[in-house]
Amino acid sequence: MVKVIRYGEKRRITCEVCGALLEFEKDDVKTVQTGMNEYEQQIECPACNETVTVD
Ligand SMILES: [Zn+2]
C-alpha cells in the first residue's frame, strides 16, 4: 500500500506556451474533466495565464 509521507512537496513544470519554469504545490492543481472518464490535472501559468497540464 502506498503512503504519502510528506504533503505539500513542490513540483516543477515548464509552461509549454511561454517557457516559464513554474513551481507548484498540490493545492495549486485543479482536476478538470475532459471526457467521459478522462480527467486532467491543470495549473494556471501566472506569466501567460494559459492552462498547463500536469502529469
Ligand atoms: Zn506560461
Side-chain angles (χ1 to χ4, degrees), residues 15 17-18 20 45 47-48:
C15 172
V17 179
C18 70
C45 175
C48 67

Side-chain angles (χ1 to χ4, degrees), residues 14-20 22 44-52:
T14 302
C15 172
E16 292 176 4
V17 179
C18 70
L22 309 176
E44 187 176 291
C45 175
C48 67
N49 294 320
E50 291 291 335
T51 300
V52 181

